[in-house]
Amino acid sequence: MSATKTRTSSFSRNFASANSSQIPGLKYGPNGTMFISSGIPDLDKILGGGFSLGSLVMVMEDAEAPHHMLLLRNFMSQGLVHNQPLLYASPSKDPRQFLGTLPSPAVPKDDKSSHRDPDQEKGLRIAWQYKKYFGENQHSFDSQGGKHEFCNEFDLRKPLERQFLSGKHIDCISIQDSPNLVTLNDRCATFLSQFPRSDGSISSVGRIAIQSFCAPQCEFSNMEWDMLSFVRSLKGMVRSSNAVAVVTFPPNLLSPSSCKRWQHMADTLLSVKAIPDEDKELEKLLTGYQDMVGLLNVHKVARLNTQQVPVILEATTLSIKLKKRRFMVLECLNQAPIDGSSGSSYGTTGSCSVSSKTGTLDF
């Protein structure tokens, strides 16, 4: 007589997957979705937790400035800090040299102060008897232990230390002289085969970063159909593995129809845009214009393990700022006062609050 299989309710918790939450850099989301960090705390909050495991993230570059490199560097550094294997493809001659430009995580003292919530600490002091229950919930869904943070704050002026680069599984590929995409597709398939999504347990997660796909340096840059086939193949391989792939590409080098197809293939779609140095009109319209280095647009947010209902964000266009010229932050755009005078931003980092005009109240 065969053993009966225990029937589990759709509302019951998956304990096999719960054990995988101990992996650094991995946390739970709704409907069984798991996230890894983008390397930018504000972007993780905007996307609802980070990049969904098994998703394809595409970033449209700006021909005027390399702001997409900020996203790519933080994404790669976060994976190396969490000891996650990395596959990096670039149109440069020696992609491994790019690893020397990756930012380093901030010192632990700054991390603790930035992640501490005063209101939360005050609430725990008042209702101390509930602290043990609060701790259990934090461990199940948010906390990754005291040793690792889910998302670090990276210092763009300080290079990543050698300890994060030595002994790691880092695979670098140059796509500059590749006549076709067969080699890149095979390398991606071999890399992703290490992270099968066959059972509930997860031993490790991987990251793929492809920079400036379809750049003029690549011999296959004019093979639009082959490139689209590769993107479709990559999406399928990533979906069936415990990994996330981030691909940046210059949309101006593609035909309008191919560009639309690429955008449709993405699970999460972002774009970056440079800000003119002296744009008097924008300076009058936006608060904190002088501190902005660029704009980030969120066009699509991944929706896995659920119905494809589009996510409605409070703000889809965010300003990219460098706090203390070291740390990348995202803020929603705020309209400047009517008189054009400078003022502080009403919105907080990563939030999407709307400012209201102040004036005399008539009763």
Side-chain angles (χ1 to χ4, degrees):
M1 184 175 180
S2 60
T4 58
K5 185 177 180 181
T6 304
R7 182 179 179 183
T8 59
S9 170
S10 59
F11 296 98
S12 63
R13 184 177 174 185
N14 189 347
F15 291 99
S17 299
N19 294 330
S20 65
S21 65
Q22 304 298 326
I23 301 177
L26 190 65
K27 77 173 182 180
Y28 279 102
N31 303 313
T33 304
M34 283 179 286
F35 295 102
I36 63 174
S37 176
S38 64
I40 305 171
D42 295 331
L43 184 58
D44 289 347
K45 296 176 184 177
I46 294 167
L47 297 179
F51 292 151
S52 301
L53 204 62
S55 65
L56 173 64
V57 182
M58 305 198 74
V59 182
M60 293 186 286
E61 305 174 4
D62 184 8
E64 307 253 335
H67 291 325
H68 62 280
M69 304 297 288
L70 295 173
L71 304 179
L72 205 62
R73 286 191 179 101
N74 282 35
F75 172 74
M76 295 170 62
S77 293
Q78 188 66 76
L80 295 178
V81 168
H82 287 153
N83 198 22
Q84 297 168 351
L86 171 68
L87 173 66
Y88 171 60
S90 168
S92 61
K93 203 75 173 179
D94 186 7
R96 191 163 289 273
Q97 292 184 354
F98 182 74
L99 300 178
T101 66
L102 299 182
S104 177
V107 293
K109 185 180 295 185
D110 291 342
D111 285 341
K112 291 179 181 179
S113 62
S114 62
H115 291 281
R116 183 175 298 166
D117 190 352
D119 295 332
Q120 186 183 88
E121 295 292 334
K122 181 179 178 181
L124 291 178
R125 283 195 297 267
I126 295 175
W128 58 269
Q129 64 271 30
Y130 298 109
K131 187 174 182 178
K132 59 180 181 179
Y133 304 107
F134 179 78
E136 290 177 359
N137 295 333
Q138 280 292 101
H139 180 74
S140 300
F141 298 98
D142 296 330
S143 178
Q144 301 298 321
K147 188 176 180 181
H148 292 279
E149 295 287 347
F150 173 73
C151 183
N152 296 91
E153 193 173 31
F154 289 93
D155 189 344
L156 300 177
R157 288 189 173 186
K158 184 180 178 182
L160 194 64
E161 299 178 2
R162 291 181 178 269
Q163 62 176 348
F164 296 112
L165 300 175
S166 60
K168 309 292 182 180
H169 182 70
I170 305 175
D171 192 5
C172 296
I173 309 171
S174 176
I175 56 178
Q176 181 175 357
D177 300 326
S178 301
N180 51 53
L181 292 163
V182 176
T183 303
L184 180 60
N185 188 81
D186 293 343
R187 297 282 287 271
C188 290
T190 303
F191 178 81
L192 292 174
S193 64
Q194 307 173 61
F195 319 102
R197 189 177 285 191
S198 55
D199 52 4
S201 62
I202 301 177
S203 58
S204 179
V205 297
R207 297 184 181 226
I208 293 180
I210 301 179
Q211 173 193 343
S212 300
F213 193 56
C214 85
Q217 298 92 325
C218 306
E219 295 185 14
F220 54 80
S221 58
N222 58 346
M223 305 176 184
E224 293 192 353
W225 184 254
D226 292 343
M227 291 189 293
L228 179 63
S229 299
F230 169 78
V231 173
R232 185 186 296 111
S233 174
L234 178 62
K235 181 178 180 179
M237 291 187 294
V238 171
R239 183 71 91 250
S240 59
S241 63
N242 294 315
V244 172
V246 175
V247 181
T248 70
F249 68 96
N252 58 307
L253 299 181
L254 296 172
S255 63
S257 58
S258 294
C259 186
K260 288 294 183 182
R261 291 188 178 99
W262 285 38
Q263 297 177 34
H264 179 72
M265 293 299 299
D267 294 310
T268 298
L269 181 63
L270 310 172
S271 68
V272 291
K273 185 176 179 58
I275 292 182
D277 294 334
E278 295 182 0
D279 193 329
K280 300 298 183 182
E281 295 298 327
L282 277 179
E283 187 175 358
K284 293 178 180 179
L285 289 175
L286 302 176
T287 2
Y289 172 80
Q290 299 297 336
D291 301 327
M292 300 180 189
V293 297
L295 297 175
L296 174 70
N297 292 280
V298 182
H299 303 275
K300 190 195 300 185
V301 179
R303 298 285 286 173
L304 305 182
N305 305 330
T306 182
Q307 294 180 349
Q308 295 297 320
V309 179
V311 179
I312 301 177
L313 301 176
E314 296 183 11
T316 57
T317 302
L318 305 144
S319 64
I320 303 175
K321 296 183 179 181
L322 296 181
K323 183 176 65 175
K324 300 180 181 178
R325 298 187 179 181
R326 289 178 177 271
F327 310 105
M328 181 178 174
V329 296
L330 301 176
E331 293 183 357
C332 65
L333 300 178
N334 293 284
Q335 187 175 0
I338 299 178
D339 58 358
S341 61
S342 60
S344 60
S345 177
Y346 291 97
T348 57
T349 302
S351 66
C352 304
S353 59
V354 180
S355 61
S356 60
K357 296 187 235 180
T358 59
T360 305
L361 298 178
D362 297 329
F363 293 98

